[in-house]
Amino acid sequence: GIPGIFRFRGEQRKSATGFRPRASKFTPDGRTLIVAGRAGTYFSIDLASPTEAVQEIQGVTHNHGRLRSHEKFAISPDGAMIAFIGGQGYFYLVALPSHSLVATVKTEAAVKDLSFSPDGRHVVAAGVNGRITIYDVRALGSRASAPLGGGPRARPLTAFGDEGALVTKCVSFSPDGDYIAAGASSGVVNVYKTVDALKATAEAPPKPVHAILNMVQEASGVAWHPTGECLSMWSSEAKDVFKVAHTATGTVFQNWPTSGTPLHYVSAAQFSPDGRMLAVGNGKGLVRLFQLNHYVD
């Protein structure tokens, strides 16, 4: 349960203090690693310092108490903010590198996932009520929403029902910002054009350009290839449920993974920044690394 930093061709470099990490993410410049878990604090590891200093950060303190878990978070592409998901429909924007609270945002329902747009201007929230909400980050930074129990909420740019979703489990902007992928508890993964989503209203929600129906278990996560040409999706609810779809057509590739691909219960997946590799983690604590021959020179 102790997070460690490793060289690919070397020994362990640094370990943080002993708590059980649930999530870790690099800042976009690769200089800092944020490690968080089900605790009131989280850790910032400065990889650029000679000692790779580990700093324990006192977590989000807000009007109605302290955030008890920091395990669900997203880092903005410019590295300026972290968005932490709280309870009761709240999420919190924290500035980097100061780790100061910038905004407290109340949404319509409990938030399941968050994603920043590539330019950092927008943040999209997936709700337990099957709705997708998009906020202007600059507007959120200029005013915090009301504390628990009164006052107006921060006004979103748009909010709409995710087609066919009772609960929207995951959401992600494409690398170019042109699309938003949303996965539901029913297993459907919808792909929306961002321009359509930003124009949406409750009365006129956007139609997805693709509704990918190849999973019958909940869509636990989605991850875009850095080119935006394909989208991976998976469920943690059943063994070996992992799909890769072609963005332009919405077609799921049938040649991989195969019935013999040892994925087990997939818990996370991510493409490498150059798009040549795909890492897939599972419930056994294993991470398998696959080479994508199409993107290898």
mmCIF file of all heavy atoms in Angstrom, residues 153-183:
data_model
loop_
_atom_site.group_PDB
_atom_site.id
_atom_site.type_symbol
_atom_site.label_atom_id
_atom_site.label_comp_id
_atom_site.label_asym_id
_atom_site.label_seq_id
_atom_site.Cartn_x
_atom_site.Cartn_y
_atom_site.Cartn_z
ATOM 1 N N ARG A 153 -26.365 28.009 -6.916
ATOM 2 C CA ARG A 153 -25.282 27.172 -7.385
ATOM 3 C C ARG A 153 -24.492 27.897 -8.465
ATOM 4 O O ARG A 153 -24.994 28.816 -9.106
ATOM 5 C CB ARG A 153 -25.823 25.874 -7.973
ATOM 6 C CG ARG A 153 -26.472 24.943 -6.966
ATOM 7 C CD ARG A 153 -27.065 23.749 -7.678
ATOM 8 N NE ARG A 153 -27.666 22.823 -6.738
ATOM 9 C CZ ARG A 153 -28.650 21.987 -7.041
ATOM 10 N NH1 ARG A 153 -29.155 21.996 -8.254
ATOM 11 N NH2 ARG A 153 -29.139 21.164 -6.145
ATOM 12 N N ALA A 154 -23.246 27.461 -8.664
ATOM 13 C CA ALA A 154 -22.489 27.963 -9.808
ATOM 14 C C ALA A 154 -23.237 27.562 -11.067
ATOM 15 O O ALA A 154 -23.638 26.411 -11.229
ATOM 16 C CB ALA A 154 -21.084 27.379 -9.803
ATOM 17 N N ARG A 155 -23.425 28.496 -11.963
ATOM 18 C CA ARG A 155 -24.243 28.252 -13.147
ATOM 19 C C ARG A 155 -23.419 27.533 -14.216
ATOM 20 O O ARG A 155 -22.383 28.029 -14.644
ATOM 21 C CB ARG A 155 -24.771 29.573 -13.691
ATOM 22 C CG ARG A 155 -25.766 29.411 -14.832
ATOM 23 C CD ARG A 155 -26.293 30.763 -15.260
ATOM 24 N NE ARG A 155 -27.238 30.636 -16.356
ATOM 25 C CZ ARG A 155 -28.539 30.396 -16.203
ATOM 26 N NH1 ARG A 155 -29.030 30.260 -14.986
ATOM 27 N NH2 ARG A 155 -29.347 30.292 -17.245
ATOM 28 N N PRO A 156 -23.874 26.368 -14.673
ATOM 29 C CA PRO A 156 -23.143 25.673 -15.734
ATOM 30 C C PRO A 156 -23.390 26.320 -17.086
ATOM 31 O O PRO A 156 -24.381 27.030 -17.282
ATOM 32 C CB PRO A 156 -23.713 24.259 -15.682
ATOM 33 C CG PRO A 156 -25.110 24.445 -15.184
ATOM 34 C CD PRO A 156 -25.045 25.588 -14.212
ATOM 35 N N LEU A 157 -22.483 26.059 -18.013
ATOM 36 C CA LEU A 157 -22.718 26.484 -19.389
ATOM 37 C C LEU A 157 -23.872 25.708 -20.000
ATOM 38 O O LEU A 157 -24.687 26.256 -20.744
ATOM 39 C CB LEU A 157 -21.450 26.267 -20.223
ATOM 40 C CG LEU A 157 -20.268 27.176 -19.944
ATOM 41 C CD1 LEU A 157 -19.056 26.705 -20.735
ATOM 42 C CD2 LEU A 157 -20.604 28.619 -20.289
ATOM 43 N N THR A 158 -23.917 24.427 -19.676
ATOM 44 C CA THR A 158 -24.975 23.573 -20.212
ATOM 45 C C THR A 158 -25.104 22.318 -19.357
ATOM 46 O O THR A 158 -24.149 21.923 -18.677
ATOM 47 C CB THR A 158 -24.670 23.178 -21.675
ATOM 48 O OG1 THR A 158 -25.764 22.433 -22.212
ATOM 49 C CG2 THR A 158 -23.416 22.334 -21.764
ATOM 50 N N ALA A 159 -26.275 21.724 -19.382
ATOM 51 C CA ALA A 159 -26.523 20.450 -18.704
ATOM 52 C C ALA A 159 -27.581 19.707 -19.502
ATOM 53 O O ALA A 159 -28.566 20.305 -19.944
ATOM 54 C CB ALA A 159 -26.978 20.669 -17.272
ATOM 55 N N PHE A 160 -27.358 18.421 -19.699
ATOM 56 C CA PHE A 160 -28.308 17.651 -20.513
ATOM 57 C C PHE A 160 -28.269 16.187 -20.106
ATOM 58 O O PHE A 160 -27.302 15.705 -19.502
ATOM 59 C CB PHE A 160 -27.985 17.781 -22.006
ATOM 60 C CG PHE A 160 -26.597 17.350 -22.393
ATOM 61 C CD1 PHE A 160 -26.330 16.031 -22.741
ATOM 62 C CD2 PHE A 160 -25.549 18.259 -22.400
ATOM 63 C CE1 PHE A 160 -25.057 15.628 -23.105
ATOM 64 C CE2 PHE A 160 -24.266 17.869 -22.756
ATOM 65 C CZ PHE A 160 -24.016 16.558 -23.107
ATOM 66 N N GLY A 161 -29.330 15.480 -20.437
ATOM 67 C CA GLY A 161 -29.403 14.058 -20.158
ATOM 68 C C GLY A 161 -28.540 13.264 -21.123
ATOM 69 O O GLY A 161 -28.606 13.485 -22.338
ATOM 70 N N ASP A 162 -27.746 12.362 -20.580
ATOM 71 C CA ASP A 162 -26.912 11.474 -21.389
ATOM 72 C C ASP A 162 -27.815 10.394 -21.974
ATOM 73 O O ASP A 162 -28.423 9.617 -21.233
ATOM 74 C CB ASP A 162 -25.824 10.868 -20.506
ATOM 75 C CG ASP A 162 -24.872 9.970 -21.250
ATOM 76 O OD1 ASP A 162 -24.827 10.038 -22.498
ATOM 77 O OD2 ASP A 162 -24.148 9.205 -20.582
ATOM 78 N N GLU A 163 -27.925 10.358 -23.292
ATOM 79 C CA GLU A 163 -28.917 9.506 -23.956
ATOM 80 C C GLU A 163 -28.773 8.037 -23.547
ATOM 81 O O GLU A 163 -27.700 7.446 -23.637
ATOM 82 C CB GLU A 163 -28.785 9.634 -25.474
ATOM 83 C CG GLU A 163 -29.871 8.894 -26.224
ATOM 84 C CD GLU A 163 -29.872 9.215 -27.707
ATOM 85 O OE1 GLU A 163 -30.250 10.350 -28.068
ATOM 86 O OE2 GLU A 163 -29.478 8.344 -28.506
ATOM 87 N N GLY A 164 -29.867 7.458 -23.061
ATOM 88 C CA GLY A 164 -29.894 6.050 -22.690
ATOM 89 C C GLY A 164 -29.260 5.730 -21.348
ATOM 90 O O GLY A 164 -29.111 4.557 -21.015
ATOM 91 N N ALA A 165 -28.895 6.761 -20.565
ATOM 92 C CA ALA A 165 -28.171 6.536 -19.318
ATOM 93 C C ALA A 165 -29.057 6.809 -18.107
ATOM 94 O O ALA A 165 -29.690 7.866 -18.021
ATOM 95 C CB ALA A 165 -26.932 7.420 -19.249
ATOM 96 N N LEU A 166 -29.089 5.853 -17.175
ATOM 97 C CA LEU A 166 -29.655 6.115 -15.856
ATOM 98 C C LEU A 166 -28.602 6.740 -14.959
ATOM 99 O O LEU A 166 -28.872 7.669 -14.204
ATOM 100 C CB LEU A 166 -30.193 4.822 -15.234
ATOM 101 C CG LEU A 166 -31.392 4.183 -15.933
ATOM 102 C CD1 LEU A 166 -31.742 2.859 -15.261
ATOM 103 C CD2 LEU A 166 -32.592 5.123 -15.926
ATOM 104 N N VAL A 167 -27.377 6.199 -15.048
ATOM 105 C CA VAL A 167 -26.222 6.733 -14.330
ATOM 106 C C VAL A 167 -25.083 6.871 -15.324
ATOM 107 O O VAL A 167 -24.751 5.909 -16.025
ATOM 108 C CB VAL A 167 -25.782 5.802 -13.172
ATOM 109 C CG1 VAL A 167 -24.547 6.358 -12.478
ATOM 110 C CG2 VAL A 167 -26.918 5.601 -12.178
ATOM 111 N N THR A 168 -24.500 8.056 -15.418
ATOM 112 C CA THR A 168 -23.312 8.237 -16.259
ATOM 113 C C THR A 168 -22.089 8.009 -15.381
ATOM 114 O O THR A 168 -21.863 8.731 -14.413
ATOM 115 C CB THR A 168 -23.283 9.644 -16.886
ATOM 116 O OG1 THR A 168 -24.476 9.832 -17.644
ATOM 117 C CG2 THR A 168 -22.082 9.790 -17.801
ATOM 118 N N LYS A 169 -21.316 6.974 -15.704
ATOM 119 C CA LYS A 169 -20.229 6.519 -14.841
ATOM 120 C C LYS A 169 -18.894 7.185 -15.134
ATOM 121 O O LYS A 169 -18.048 7.321 -14.254
ATOM 122 C CB LYS A 169 -20.072 4.999 -14.981
ATOM 123 C CG LYS A 169 -21.313 4.192 -14.636
ATOM 124 C CD LYS A 169 -21.571 4.150 -13.148
ATOM 125 C CE LYS A 169 -20.532 3.333 -12.410
ATOM 126 N NZ LYS A 169 -20.876 3.138 -10.989
ATOM 127 N N CYS A 170 -18.670 7.565 -16.391
ATOM 128 C CA CYS A 170 -17.367 8.101 -16.771
ATOM 129 C C CYS A 170 -17.531 9.075 -17.927
ATOM 130 O O CYS A 170 -18.490 8.986 -18.695
ATOM 131 C CB CYS A 170 -16.385 6.979 -17.134
ATOM 132 S SG CYS A 170 -17.008 5.822 -18.377
ATOM 133 N N VAL A 171 -16.591 10.005 -18.033
ATOM 134 C CA VAL A 171 -16.679 11.025 -19.067
ATOM 135 C C VAL A 171 -15.277 11.500 -19.405
ATOM 136 O O VAL A 171 -14.399 11.532 -18.534
ATOM 137 C CB VAL A 171 -17.572 12.203 -18.600
ATOM 138 C CG1 VAL A 171 -16.933 12.965 -17.447
ATOM 139 C CG2 VAL A 171 -17.911 13.131 -19.746
ATOM 140 N N SER A 172 -15.051 11.861 -20.682
ATOM 141 C CA SER A 172 -13.713 12.310 -21.073
ATOM 142 C C SER A 172 -13.774 13.113 -22.363
ATOM 143 O O SER A 172 -14.410 12.700 -23.330
ATOM 144 C CB SER A 172 -12.787 11.103 -21.272
ATOM 145 O OG SER A 172 -11.487 11.521 -21.641
ATOM 146 N N PHE A 173 -13.106 14.282 -22.352
ATOM 147 C CA PHE A 173 -12.888 15.032 -23.586
ATOM 148 C C PHE A 173 -11.860 14.300 -24.445
ATOM 149 O O PHE A 173 -10.892 13.713 -23.926
ATOM 150 C CB PHE A 173 -12.336 16.424 -23.276
ATOM 151 C CG PHE A 173 -13.372 17.458 -22.950
ATOM 152 C CD1 PHE A 173 -13.612 17.828 -21.636
ATOM 153 C CD2 PHE A 173 -14.093 18.081 -23.951
ATOM 154 C CE1 PHE A 173 -14.547 18.805 -21.331
ATOM 155 C CE2 PHE A 173 -15.034 19.058 -23.661
ATOM 156 C CZ PHE A 173 -15.268 19.425 -22.342
ATOM 157 N N SER A 174 -12.031 14.361 -25.756
ATOM 158 C CA SER A 174 -11.014 13.834 -26.672
ATOM 159 C C SER A 174 -9.783 14.744 -26.633
ATOM 160 O O SER A 174 -9.872 15.909 -26.231
ATOM 161 C CB SER A 174 -11.560 13.746 -28.089
ATOM 162 O OG SER A 174 -11.879 15.040 -28.594
ATOM 163 N N PRO A 175 -8.611 14.256 -27.046
ATOM 164 C CA PRO A 175 -7.388 15.059 -26.977
ATOM 165 C C PRO A 175 -7.451 16.371 -27.750
ATOM 166 O O PRO A 175 -6.794 17.341 -27.372
ATOM 167 C CB PRO A 175 -6.330 14.120 -27.559
ATOM 168 C CG PRO A 175 -6.849 12.756 -27.314
ATOM 169 C CD PRO A 175 -8.334 12.869 -27.460
ATOM 170 N N ASP A 176 -8.223 16.408 -28.829
ATOM 171 C CA ASP A 176 -8.354 17.659 -29.584
ATOM 172 C C ASP A 176 -9.533 18.497 -29.114
ATOM 173 O O ASP A 176 -9.763 19.608 -29.622
ATOM 174 C CB ASP A 176 -8.472 17.386 -31.087
ATOM 175 C CG ASP A 176 -9.664 16.479 -31.436
ATOM 176 O OD1 ASP A 176 -10.500 16.199 -30.552
ATOM 177 O OD2 ASP A 176 -9.750 16.047 -32.603
ATOM 178 N N GLY A 177 -10.303 17.976 -28.154
ATOM 179 C CA GLY A 177 -11.433 18.706 -27.616
ATOM 180 C C GLY A 177 -12.677 18.675 -28.467
ATOM 181 O O GLY A 177 -13.690 19.295 -28.124
ATOM 182 N N ASP A 178 -12.653 17.959 -29.576
ATOM 183 C CA ASP A 178 -13.793 17.955 -30.497
ATOM 184 C C ASP A 178 -14.940 17.063 -30.029
ATOM 185 O O ASP A 178 -16.079 17.247 -30.455
ATOM 186 C CB ASP A 178 -13.348 17.492 -31.885
ATOM 187 C CG ASP A 178 -12.510 18.534 -32.611
ATOM 188 O OD1 ASP A 178 -12.479 19.691 -32.154
ATOM 189 O OD2 ASP A 178 -11.884 18.179 -33.634
ATOM 190 N N TYR A 179 -14.621 16.083 -29.167
ATOM 191 C CA TYR A 179 -15.635 15.124 -28.739
ATOM 192 C C TYR A 179 -15.632 14.963 -27.226
ATOM 193 O O TYR A 179 -14.636 15.232 -26.544
ATOM 194 C CB TYR A 179 -15.381 13.747 -29.373
ATOM 195 C CG TYR A 179 -15.474 13.723 -30.881
ATOM 196 C CD1 TYR A 179 -14.333 13.810 -31.668
ATOM 197 C CD2 TYR A 179 -16.710 13.608 -31.527
ATOM 198 C CE1 TYR A 179 -14.406 13.786 -33.057
ATOM 199 C CE2 TYR A 179 -16.796 13.580 -32.908
ATOM 200 C CZ TYR A 179 -15.650 13.677 -33.669
ATOM 201 O OH TYR A 179 -15.733 13.659 -35.036
ATOM 202 N N ILE A 180 -16.773 14.499 -26.726
ATOM 203 C CA ILE A 180 -16.914 14.084 -25.329
ATOM 204 C C ILE A 180 -17.443 12.660 -25.338
ATOM 205 O O ILE A 180 -18.483 12.382 -25.952
ATOM 206 C CB ILE A 180 -17.879 14.994 -24.551
ATOM 207 C CG1 ILE A 180 -17.357 16.430 -24.498
ATOM 208 C CG2 ILE A 180 -18.097 14.462 -23.135
ATOM 209 C CD1 ILE A 180 -18.355 17.430 -23.927
ATOM 210 N N ALA A 181 -16.739 11.747 -24.689
ATOM 211 C CA ALA A 181 -17.203 10.371 -24.547
ATOM 212 C C ALA A 181 -17.780 10.184 -23.152
ATOM 213 O O ALA A 181 -17.196 10.646 -22.165
ATOM 214 C CB ALA A 181 -16.056 9.386 -24.778
ATOM 215 N N ALA A 182 -18.928 9.530 -23.074
ATOM 216 C CA ALA A 182 -19.593 9.301 -21.796
ATOM 217 C C ALA A 182 -20.049 7.854 -21.720
ATOM 218 O O ALA A 182 -20.728 7.363 -22.625
ATOM 219 C CB ALA A 182 -20.784 10.243 -21.635
ATOM 220 N N GLY A 183 -19.673 7.171 -20.642
ATOM 221 C CA GLY A 183 -20.052 5.778 -20.445
ATOM 222 C C GLY A 183 -21.085 5.646 -19.341
ATOM 223 O O GLY A 183 -21.004 6.327 -18.316
#
